[in-house]
Amino acid sequence: MSLFASPDGPEERHEPLADRLRPRDFDGFFGQDELVGEGRLLRRLIEGDRFPSLILWGPPGCGKTTLAKIVAERTGARFVFFSAVLSGKAEVRKVMDAAKRELREIGARTILFIDEIHRFNKAQQDAFLPYVEEGTITLIGATTENPSFEVNAALLSRCRVFLLKPLDEAALAAVLDRALADGEDGLGERGVAVTDGARAALLASADGDARRLLNLLEASALVTENVTEQIVTEALQRKTLAYDKAGEEHYNVISALHKSLRGSDVQAGLYWLGRMLEAGEDPLYIVRRLIRFASEDVGVADPQALVQCNAAKDAVHFLGMPEGALALAQAVVYLATAPKSNSLYKAYGRVQKEIASRPAEPVPMVIRNAPTSLMADLGFGEGYKYPHDYVEGVVRQEYLPDGVAGREFYRPGGTGFEREIAKRMAFWGKLRAGGKERKSDDA
């Protein structure tokens, strides 16, 4: 009997619709065709019951646990389901001892499926490593988080990682159709029907998550057998966005916002801002990233960008949320439509590299202050030319140390206000090179 089977039998089961409909073979598995379509590698590995330890990485409701169930149904090995949420190190040791005993006494291999493996800390994950290395167990780990950060590097290096994607609309529609037609585990016997509007609302609210789709359908069907869009909306109450303020999706969405602004896409910038705010992200985290963007990707091509972002920060502090959302939206629109330049970002990078690669050069004597007569006698500030005493306000004078003189850190770009900066720098460069300084009459 499968470890996933209910001992009570189908007539007495009370599992949620999503669990009842979980397929036991590939015929009922919808989506992930790149991985488990006919002839694909992962499917061949599962059907052949010969596969290495692997990590299934993907968002909720995309089929990770379902694939484990299919493995459990097909494999000749002892299959153990393990939850990182409910299990500790003592349970790990118990399972490992049993696996060694099975292998030693009857030659039976053990497949260990760990749901939410990222919830084990690195020390707990270490406990599996020797058993994976020696082949006592074949590990299948499921995670919604990036395994690069959440799975022990040594353990990860011994596993094949497969990336699962959110289900597309076609796959979700197939799941929905099966739920409505299946008479044994689904809603077919009850004759539940959904209107076109309800169907569209169910698919739109699922966000690529089959479990969410089925839970919402089940909640709607509890009210009536004729599910309308209004019933779905009432069952939904408020859409819960797939977003974890400390997890992978957090970084994915902020990256999408940053890159949309860099690409001057106003619509995408507003969308990703909304995705973060509506999911409950800290607005001050967002504004910190916008301020960084204003200097990194706009810089002095539009000096007002930094001013706008700081104004948005003040507005969020003053108004709070949700009123402050409009100030953030204004900053996003401004940044998206501002001229872009990373000249400032690159300039500071050159400065950092210069400082890291050379000893700290002494400040030139000519630009040191001489607040005492001793310092003046030693030559501090000797020969300094006060720019305000000259007609153009620019003099031929070296401000960099000897070892750094002539270095070019900032190179203005050709967009926005930087065009004006480039003109000024070129003009001042000619004045310094010419050396024809004229003192003003009131110097």
Side-chain angles (χ1 to χ4, degrees), residues 254-306:
I254 193 62
S255 176
L257 173 61
H258 197 126
K259 290 180 172 64
S260 298
L261 297 181
R262 182 181 290 154
S264 299
D265 191 325
V266 179
Q267 317 306 340
L270 284 171
Y271 172 78
W272 293 118
L273 171 69
R275 277 280 297 271
M276 299 185 82
L277 290 176
E278 295 303 310
E281 179 59 81
D282 178 4
L284 292 179
Y285 168 77
I286 298 175
V287 81
R288 284 196 295 271
R289 293 301 299 258
L290 296 181
I291 289 172
R292 165 73 184 195
F293 182 93
S295 294
E296 179 180 340
D297 286 275
V298 177
V300 289
D302 185 348
Q304 283 297 312
L306 189 58

Side-chain angles (χ1 to χ4, degrees), residues 61-233:
C62 68
K64 303 184 294 297
T65 304
T66 298
L67 282 177
K69 179 172 182 176
I70 292 173
V71 170
E73 293 290 337
R74 301 186 67 95
T75 186
R78 174 173 173 264
F79 189 95
V80 179
F81 184 97
F82 208 72
S83 172
V85 177
L86 303 174
S87 307
K89 208 165 184 178
E91 288 83 358
V92 172
R93 177 67 64 182
K94 186 177 180 180
V95 169
M96 295 302 102
D97 289 345
K100 291 183 74 171
R101 187 168 57 253
E102 292 278 331
L103 185 63
R104 182 178 63 251
E105 294 178 358
I106 60 175
R109 64 194 180 96
T110 296
I111 297 174
L112 178 63
F113 174 70
I114 306 176
D115 195 21
E116 299 191 84
I117 191 172
H118 60 274
R119 293 186 180 270
F120 277 134
N121 61 39
K122 298 300 174 69
Q124 290 171 316
Q125 292 177 25
D126 278 339
F128 297 108
L129 187 58
Y131 300 100
V132 173
E133 284 182 327
E134 65 190 22
T136 303
I137 63 168
T138 298
L139 175 67
I140 303 177
T143 178
T144 57
E145 302 296 327
N146 190 331
S148 301
F149 307 126
E150 302 297 336
V151 178
N152 183 307
L155 187 61
L156 185 62
S157 68
R158 290 161 176 80
C159 298
R160 180 75 180 267
V161 177
F162 290 92
L163 176 62
L164 284 74
K165 300 176 181 178
L167 299 188
D168 60 21
E169 186 171 328
L172 290 170
V175 172
L176 178 58
D177 290 338
R178 183 189 170 203
L180 294 171
D182 193 309
E184 180 181 353
D185 296 313
L187 304 176
E189 283 189 352
R190 289 180 49 198
V192 174
V194 298
T195 65
D196 289 343
R199 182 183 183 86
L202 287 165
L203 295 177
S205 300
D207 277 343
D209 183 335
R211 186 183 301 110
R212 180 182 296 169
L213 170 72
L214 294 174
N215 288 345
L216 183 56
L217 173 63
E218 187 172 31
S220 301
L222 290 175
V223 178
T224 177
E225 292 179 353
N226 184 29
V227 179
T228 64
E229 184 176 358
Q230 181 180 351
I231 295 297
V232 173
T233 302

Side-chain angles (χ1 to χ4, degrees), residues 332-346:
V332 162
V333 170
Y334 193 96
L335 291 175
T337 55
K340 305 299 186 296
S341 172
N342 67 348
S343 299
L344 186 68
Y345 175 75
K346 291 164 71 175

Side-chain angles (χ1 to χ4, degrees), residues 10-44:
E11 67 281 4
E12 298 183 17
R13 289 182 298 169
H14 303 287
E15 305 100 322
L17 178 63
D19 286 335
R20 299 201 306 271
L21 283 177
R22 197 185 295 279
R24 294 174 172 81
D25 54 47
F26 285 113
D27 290 339
F29 187 87
F30 303 113
Q32 313 304 339
D33 290 342
E34 300 90 343
L35 297 181
V36 295
E38 284 287 350
R40 295 292 184 173
L41 175 61
L42 183 55
R43 180 162 178 168
R44 287 190 283 111

